[in-house]
Amino acid sequence: MKNKAVERVIRVFQERGNGRYGDECVSQLEHAIQAALLAEESGASQPLVAAALLHDIGHIIGECDLPESDDEDLNDFHEEKAYQWLLVNFGIEVADPVRLHVLAKRFLCTVEPEYAHSLSPTSLKSFHDQGGLMSNDELESFRAEPYCQEALVLRRWDDLAKDEQKEIPNIEYFVPLLTVCSEAATA
Ligand SMILES: [Fe+2]
């Protein structure tokens, strides 16, 4: 594997991907791979599949420990921590849906009250820690984001990617796709 950014993604998932976030039932690695598979099965573009795989990498790419239960503050700004690194190494089509996926949850909870009922307890807790319902100004700002639609579909895969029974491939399955996205962004 020659691409340094792709190597780092694989290493981070191998070294830290077994941790669980709060009280979620799947590991970070399982969650990421399931989200990417849902994107792939939906016929999403390669950058959006990569965004689905990398959407929570901010939880594990830095030095911080994962919260061990929902009792902790679940707003760790993970979507912003990874943003600059994703932007430089994978481009805006990957980085922006990732940056917006937390706002997308707040948007959906605000415009679709029943959406909040579909969230896992941990996701509902982090929704409150991340700011809760959006104001009208926040809704307008979100709608004006060029990648808001991509962030909304990513959010749906994120919510579904918590299946304890699902069979998943190894993280290396995504190396070719990540390499294509990285090379396109850094060419
Ligand atoms: Fe997630």
Side-chain angles (χ1 to χ4, degrees):
M1 208 188 309
K2 289 190 216 124
N3 186 298
K4 295 273 179 232
V6 178
E7 267 180 26
R8 185 169 180 198
V9 167
I10 302 304
R11 193 171 62 246
V12 164
F13 274 118
Q14 286 174 336
E15 289 175 357
R16 299 198 62 201
N18 288 328
R20 283 164 200 260
Y21 192 77
D23 292 333
E24 294 290 16
C25 61
V26 290
S27 70
Q28 286 288 298
L29 179 62
E30 291 166 329
H31 178 59
I33 291 175
Q34 287 187 23
L37 289 179
L38 288 164
E40 192 174 68
E41 287 159 14
S42 302
S45 67
Q46 287 188 314
L48 198 48
V49 175
L53 185 74
L54 302 174
H55 76 276
D56 277 342
I57 201 162
H59 284 316
I60 55 174
I61 206 164
E63 298 302 315
C64 297
D65 292 331
L66 292 167
E68 290 180 5
S69 80
D70 289 357
D71 294 337
E72 297 190 35
D73 183 348
L74 299 184
N75 184 19
D76 62 357
F77 297 100
H78 70 287
E79 73 281 12
E80 293 173 20
K81 280 182 193 161
Y83 179 68
Q84 283 301 327
W85 187 78
L86 289 176
L87 185 61
V88 168
N89 291 289
F90 291 97
I92 194 150
E93 290 176 88
V94 175
D96 245 24
V98 173
R99 176 177 66 83
L100 294 168
H101 83 278
V102 168
L103 287 175
K105 177 168 61 176
R106 293 184 56 212
F107 179 90
L108 287 169
C109 284
T110 308
V111 301
E112 290 179 21
E114 66 278 14
Y115 168 80
H117 299 303
S118 71
L119 296 176
S120 70
T122 296
S123 197
L124 193 58
K125 166 69 166 49
S126 61
F127 158 68
H128 291 294
D129 291 346
Q130 288 154 348
L133 295 174
M134 282 183 159
S135 66
N136 285 338
D137 285 351
E138 287 174 317
L139 291 173
E140 283 316 302
S141 303
F142 182 80
R143 286 193 184 100
E145 290 281 357
Y147 287 90
C148 69
Q149 292 304 325
E150 287 81 357
L152 290 170
V153 290
L154 169 53
R155 187 72 237 175
R156 308 277 190 188
W157 300 321
D158 185 359
D159 298 328
L160 293 171
K162 300 175 181 182
D163 180 349
E164 290 169 274
Q165 309 299 330
K166 185 159 175 135
E167 291 218 7
I168 55 171
N170 196 291
I171 184 69
E172 275 95 354
Y173 169 78
F174 294 100
V175 166
L177 174 122
L178 290 171
T179 304
V180 166
C181 293
S182 182
E183 288 180 354
T186 55

